[in-house]
Amino acid sequence: MLSRGSSSFVKHLLSSRRFHKLPFHVHPFSPSSRSLFSPLFRIHRTLKLNQPKPISNFSSETSTASSLVSSYLVVDVRCHKHVADMLSEALLCFGASSATIDQNDADDSSESDEICISSIFPEDHNISSSISHAADSIGLKELPIYEVRVGEQYDWIRKTQESFNPVEVTKGVWIVPEWRSPPSAGAVDIKATNIILNPGLAFGSGEHSTTKLCLLLLHNLIKGGELFLDYGTGSGILAIAALKFGAALSVGIDIDPQAITSARQNAALNEIGAEKMQLCLVPNETCTTATDSWGTTEEQSCNEVEMISETEKYDMVVANILMNPLLDLAENIVSYAKPRAVIALSGILSEQVPYIMERYSPFLEGITVTEMDDWACVCGTKKANPAAN
């Protein structure tokens, strides 16, 4: 079963930008109402069930048992196989708490072109509206056939934890959920790198192909002592990994307060302090105070934002977001990198690579492309004088 979890911000993006008219792949996003043209734009893709209420810690101490259990609706959607992945993530964008593609259908060698997506929605959700919006967002001309049934009360926390297992990115590099034991414990390889993670409501569980591509890139290119910028940090997984691979400093910036909160907690889980990993909430238009859904107030002045986001400062910049913001924010992304610094761009489908190559060719040289499961990462070196090209 291929399961994904959700957040809600892409509703705004899909309705305002008509993403389905461009080659794209929709991703869940943590709740926010930011403009696509903001200084920072982050699409979060989480591979987990989304709890009815955001929580910052999976410990039983943070909430009573009654608040962690709720009824839900199960919606089985039939669609053509070639649109199943996009539709499942579009469903997440329009209210589904999770979407699971039936792997038996996917592996079926019969002539049937249909597949079932089993999705979970809150009990009082408008299912018809969500499916209609999801179908329209990816350009489907006909509404998919679907069935709705009421599920029994559900322990969201237990199910969320069960959906995450340690992920081996490459030999000796593991992404380990906070509530799991590192697979390397007691193993022969005592040099294994374990990145402990509680994804919360931010993207970055280590399971998605784009995250793996970026992690592999960091693992191969970081030699030690680098200044690293994670442009749209999400759970902070890339910023944390960069430090564990030898970077001297990681900076993560994001427009979503939940992402900053999640990244800060994950840094603590990995015993990384603020002197090594700086996190900056970048407001949409002006430097204002923002409050996340757990009631944590994030106050940062314009001076702090400018200090953390200083241009031409970083040896490596990674933006694992989505094609449209990568295109729209190209100059901004490139501006943070030193001349000859490495810049990596991901969150894109393989078929979208030509758009990224064309947009970034004036800024980058020695461009290479790595791919995994139809997803891609474009990497290049910043030209010494890109303005002259």
PDB file of all heavy atoms in Angstrom, residues 205-225:
ATOM      1  N   SER A 205       9.953  13.406   5.679  1.00  0.00           N
ATOM      2  CA  SER A 205      10.035  12.181   6.468  1.00  0.00           C
ATOM      3  C   SER A 205      11.186  11.306   5.997  1.00  0.00           C
ATOM      4  O   SER A 205      11.523  10.328   6.641  1.00  0.00           O
ATOM      5  CB  SER A 205       8.737  11.380   6.351  1.00  0.00           C
ATOM      6  OG  SER A 205       8.602  10.854   5.049  1.00  0.00           O
ATOM      7  N   GLY A 206      11.763  11.645   4.860  1.00  0.00           N
ATOM      8  CA  GLY A 206      12.855  10.849   4.309  1.00  0.00           C
ATOM      9  C   GLY A 206      12.401   9.783   3.345  1.00  0.00           C
ATOM     10  O   GLY A 206      13.217   9.145   2.690  1.00  0.00           O
ATOM     11  N   GLU A 207      11.097   9.564   3.233  1.00  0.00           N
ATOM     12  CA  GLU A 207      10.592   8.505   2.363  1.00  0.00           C
ATOM     13  C   GLU A 207      10.382   8.970   0.929  1.00  0.00           C
ATOM     14  O   GLU A 207      10.429   8.165   0.002  1.00  0.00           O
ATOM     15  CB  GLU A 207       9.280   7.955   2.925  1.00  0.00           C
ATOM     16  CG  GLU A 207       9.450   7.239   4.260  1.00  0.00           C
ATOM     17  CD  GLU A 207       8.160   6.597   4.739  1.00  0.00           C
ATOM     18  OE1 GLU A 207       7.132   6.762   4.071  1.00  0.00           O
ATOM     19  OE2 GLU A 207       8.184   5.943   5.784  1.00  0.00           O
ATOM     20  N   HIS A 208      10.128  10.246   0.726  1.00  0.00           N
ATOM     21  CA  HIS A 208       9.829  10.712  -0.616  1.00  0.00           C
ATOM     22  C   HIS A 208      11.094  10.762  -1.464  1.00  0.00           C
ATOM     23  O   HIS A 208      12.183  11.066  -0.983  1.00  0.00           O
ATOM     24  CB  HIS A 208       9.179  12.098  -0.564  1.00  0.00           C
ATOM     25  CG  HIS A 208       8.493  12.465  -1.834  1.00  0.00           C
ATOM     26  ND1 HIS A 208       9.159  13.031  -2.894  1.00  0.00           N
ATOM     27  CD2 HIS A 208       7.205  12.339  -2.221  1.00  0.00           C
ATOM     28  CE1 HIS A 208       8.301  13.233  -3.883  1.00  0.00           C
ATOM     29  NE2 HIS A 208       7.111  12.823  -3.491  1.00  0.00           N
ATOM     30  N   SER A 209      10.945  10.453  -2.749  1.00  0.00           N
ATOM     31  CA  SER A 209      12.103  10.364  -3.651  1.00  0.00           C
ATOM     32  C   SER A 209      12.884  11.664  -3.718  1.00  0.00           C
ATOM     33  O   SER A 209      14.120  11.645  -3.807  1.00  0.00           O
ATOM     34  CB  SER A 209      11.640   9.962  -5.052  1.00  0.00           C
ATOM     35  OG  SER A 209      11.028   8.691  -5.034  1.00  0.00           O
ATOM     36  N   THR A 210      12.200  12.811  -3.693  1.00  0.00           N
ATOM     37  CA  THR A 210      12.924  14.079  -3.787  1.00  0.00           C
ATOM     38  C   THR A 210      13.792  14.312  -2.562  1.00  0.00           C
ATOM     39  O   THR A 210      14.906  14.829  -2.666  1.00  0.00           O
ATOM     40  CB  THR A 210      11.942  15.256  -3.962  1.00  0.00           C
ATOM     41  OG1 THR A 210      11.029  15.284  -2.862  1.00  0.00           O
ATOM     42  CG2 THR A 210      11.162  15.128  -5.247  1.00  0.00           C
ATOM     43  N   THR A 211      13.292  13.934  -1.388  1.00  0.00           N
ATOM     44  CA  THR A 211      14.099  14.065  -0.175  1.00  0.00           C
ATOM     45  C   THR A 211      15.308  13.148  -0.255  1.00  0.00           C
ATOM     46  O   THR A 211      16.428  13.539   0.096  1.00  0.00           O
ATOM     47  CB  THR A 211      13.266  13.721   1.073  1.00  0.00           C
ATOM     48  OG1 THR A 211      12.058  14.480   1.069  1.00  0.00           O
ATOM     49  CG2 THR A 211      14.043  14.027   2.340  1.00  0.00           C
ATOM     50  N   LYS A 212      15.113  11.929  -0.715  1.00  0.00           N
ATOM     51  CA  LYS A 212      16.229  10.992  -0.848  1.00  0.00           C
ATOM     52  C   LYS A 212      17.276  11.511  -1.825  1.00  0.00           C
ATOM     53  O   LYS A 212      18.488  11.409  -1.581  1.00  0.00           O
ATOM     54  CB  LYS A 212      15.713   9.626  -1.312  1.00  0.00           C
ATOM     55  CG  LYS A 212      14.948   8.851  -0.250  1.00  0.00           C
ATOM     56  CD  LYS A 212      14.510   7.506  -0.794  1.00  0.00           C
ATOM     57  CE  LYS A 212      13.749   6.702   0.245  1.00  0.00           C
ATOM     58  NZ  LYS A 212      13.282   5.399  -0.292  1.00  0.00           N
ATOM     59  N   LEU A 213      16.815  12.067  -2.957  1.00  0.00           N
ATOM     60  CA  LEU A 213      17.755  12.609  -3.944  1.00  0.00           C
ATOM     61  C   LEU A 213      18.611  13.708  -3.327  1.00  0.00           C
ATOM     62  O   LEU A 213      19.823  13.778  -3.558  1.00  0.00           O
ATOM     63  CB  LEU A 213      16.994  13.136  -5.158  1.00  0.00           C
ATOM     64  CG  LEU A 213      16.397  12.085  -6.097  1.00  0.00           C
ATOM     65  CD1 LEU A 213      15.449  12.736  -7.103  1.00  0.00           C
ATOM     66  CD2 LEU A 213      17.503  11.331  -6.833  1.00  0.00           C
ATOM     67  N   CYS A 214      17.979  14.589  -2.556  1.00  0.00           N
ATOM     68  CA  CYS A 214      18.720  15.681  -1.920  1.00  0.00           C
ATOM     69  C   CYS A 214      19.679  15.155  -0.857  1.00  0.00           C
ATOM     70  O   CYS A 214      20.818  15.641  -0.735  1.00  0.00           O
ATOM     71  CB  CYS A 214      17.748  16.687  -1.314  1.00  0.00           C
ATOM     72  SG  CYS A 214      16.781  17.620  -2.525  1.00  0.00           S
ATOM     73  N   LEU A 215      19.241  14.160  -0.087  1.00  0.00           N
ATOM     74  CA  LEU A 215      20.109  13.576   0.931  1.00  0.00           C
ATOM     75  C   LEU A 215      21.327  12.900   0.304  1.00  0.00           C
ATOM     76  O   LEU A 215      22.451  13.025   0.809  1.00  0.00           O
ATOM     77  CB  LEU A 215      19.322  12.573   1.772  1.00  0.00           C
ATOM     78  CG  LEU A 215      18.289  13.160   2.737  1.00  0.00           C
ATOM     79  CD1 LEU A 215      17.401  12.062   3.309  1.00  0.00           C
ATOM     80  CD2 LEU A 215      18.970  13.928   3.865  1.00  0.00           C
ATOM     81  N   LEU A 216      21.111  12.185  -0.785  1.00  0.00           N
ATOM     82  CA  LEU A 216      22.226  11.535  -1.480  1.00  0.00           C
ATOM     83  C   LEU A 216      23.207  12.571  -2.004  1.00  0.00           C
ATOM     84  O   LEU A 216      24.428  12.382  -1.948  1.00  0.00           O
ATOM     85  CB  LEU A 216      21.696  10.676  -2.626  1.00  0.00           C
ATOM     86  CG  LEU A 216      20.972   9.393  -2.229  1.00  0.00           C
ATOM     87  CD1 LEU A 216      20.287   8.760  -3.434  1.00  0.00           C
ATOM     88  CD2 LEU A 216      21.954   8.399  -1.603  1.00  0.00           C
ATOM     89  N   LEU A 217      22.680  13.678  -2.515  1.00  0.00           N
ATOM     90  CA  LEU A 217      23.532  14.757  -3.008  1.00  0.00           C
ATOM     91  C   LEU A 217      24.392  15.329  -1.886  1.00  0.00           C
ATOM     92  O   LEU A 217      25.609  15.504  -2.034  1.00  0.00           O
ATOM     93  CB  LEU A 217      22.669  15.858  -3.628  1.00  0.00           C
ATOM     94  CG  LEU A 217      23.424  17.032  -4.242  1.00  0.00           C
ATOM     95  CD1 LEU A 217      23.986  16.642  -5.602  1.00  0.00           C
ATOM     96  CD2 LEU A 217      22.511  18.241  -4.396  1.00  0.00           C
ATOM     97  N   LEU A 218      23.769  15.615  -0.741  1.00  0.00           N
ATOM     98  CA  LEU A 218      24.512  16.148   0.398  1.00  0.00           C
ATOM     99  C   LEU A 218      25.581  15.165   0.863  1.00  0.00           C
ATOM    100  O   LEU A 218      26.717  15.546   1.153  1.00  0.00           O
ATOM    101  CB  LEU A 218      23.563  16.459   1.550  1.00  0.00           C
ATOM    102  CG  LEU A 218      22.502  17.540   1.313  1.00  0.00           C
ATOM    103  CD1 LEU A 218      21.653  17.723   2.569  1.00  0.00           C
ATOM    104  CD2 LEU A 218      23.132  18.848   0.915  1.00  0.00           C
ATOM    105  N   HIS A 219      25.200  13.908   0.921  1.00  0.00           N
ATOM    106  CA  HIS A 219      26.124  12.869   1.381  1.00  0.00           C
ATOM    107  C   HIS A 219      27.352  12.785   0.481  1.00  0.00           C
ATOM    108  O   HIS A 219      28.477  12.572   0.946  1.00  0.00           O
ATOM    109  CB  HIS A 219      25.407  11.513   1.411  1.00  0.00           C
ATOM    110  CG  HIS A 219      26.224  10.406   1.988  1.00  0.00           C
ATOM    111  ND1 HIS A 219      26.797   9.410   1.206  1.00  0.00           N
ATOM    112  CD2 HIS A 219      26.591  10.114   3.272  1.00  0.00           C
ATOM    113  CE1 HIS A 219      27.448   8.565   1.971  1.00  0.00           C
ATOM    114  NE2 HIS A 219      27.341   8.966   3.233  1.00  0.00           N
ATOM    115  N   ASN A 220      27.149  12.982  -0.816  1.00  0.00           N
ATOM    116  CA  ASN A 220      28.247  12.857  -1.783  1.00  0.00           C
ATOM    117  C   ASN A 220      29.098  14.125  -1.889  1.00  0.00           C
ATOM    118  O   ASN A 220      30.298  14.046  -2.178  1.00  0.00           O
ATOM    119  CB  ASN A 220      27.692  12.507  -3.169  1.00  0.00           C
ATOM    120  CG  ASN A 220      27.105  11.112  -3.217  1.00  0.00           C
ATOM    121  OD1 ASN A 220      27.516  10.225  -2.466  1.00  0.00           O
ATOM    122  ND2 ASN A 220      26.135  10.910  -4.080  1.00  0.00           N
ATOM    123  N   LEU A 221      28.495  15.293  -1.665  1.00  0.00           N
ATOM    124  CA  LEU A 221      29.202  16.548  -1.961  1.00  0.00           C
ATOM    125  C   LEU A 221      29.774  17.261  -0.744  1.00  0.00           C
ATOM    126  O   LEU A 221      30.730  18.018  -0.871  1.00  0.00           O
ATOM    127  CB  LEU A 221      28.270  17.503  -2.714  1.00  0.00           C
ATOM    128  CG  LEU A 221      27.848  17.072  -4.122  1.00  0.00           C
ATOM    129  CD1 LEU A 221      27.025  18.168  -4.786  1.00  0.00           C
ATOM    130  CD2 LEU A 221      29.068  16.740  -4.984  1.00  0.00           C
ATOM    131  N   ILE A 222      29.177  17.077   0.428  1.00  0.00           N
ATOM    132  CA  ILE A 222      29.694  17.785   1.604  1.00  0.00           C
ATOM    133  C   ILE A 222      31.005  17.145   2.063  1.00  0.00           C
ATOM    134  O   ILE A 222      31.066  15.951   2.347  1.00  0.00           O
ATOM    135  CB  ILE A 222      28.653  17.781   2.743  1.00  0.00           C
ATOM    136  CG1 ILE A 222      27.480  18.704   2.371  1.00  0.00           C
ATOM    137  CG2 ILE A 222      29.289  18.245   4.055  1.00  0.00           C
ATOM    138  CD1 ILE A 222      26.413  18.795   3.431  1.00  0.00           C
ATOM    139  N   LYS A 223      32.029  17.967   2.105  1.00  0.00           N
ATOM    140  CA  LYS A 223      33.365  17.486   2.482  1.00  0.00           C
ATOM    141  C   LYS A 223      33.753  17.890   3.895  1.00  0.00           C
ATOM    142  O   LYS A 223      34.638  17.312   4.518  1.00  0.00           O
ATOM    143  CB  LYS A 223      34.411  18.029   1.500  1.00  0.00           C
ATOM    144  CG  LYS A 223      34.120  17.710   0.041  1.00  0.00           C
ATOM    145  CD  LYS A 223      33.976  16.220  -0.199  1.00  0.00           C
ATOM    146  CE  LYS A 223      33.662  15.919  -1.661  1.00  0.00           C
ATOM    147  NZ  LYS A 223      33.404  14.478  -1.900  1.00  0.00           N
ATOM    148  N   GLY A 224      33.079  18.934   4.415  1.00  0.00           N
ATOM    149  CA  GLY A 224      33.378  19.406   5.763  1.00  0.00           C
ATOM    150  C   GLY A 224      33.593  20.911   5.791  1.00  0.00           C
ATOM    151  O   GLY A 224      34.305  21.457   4.945  1.00  0.00           O
ATOM    152  N   GLY A 225      32.928  21.581   6.742  1.00  0.00           N
ATOM    153  CA  GLY A 225      33.139  23.008   6.925  1.00  0.00           C
ATOM    154  C   GLY A 225      32.244  23.916   6.100  1.00  0.00           C
ATOM    155  O   GLY A 225      32.375  25.145   6.170  1.00  0.00           O
TER     156      GLY A 225
END
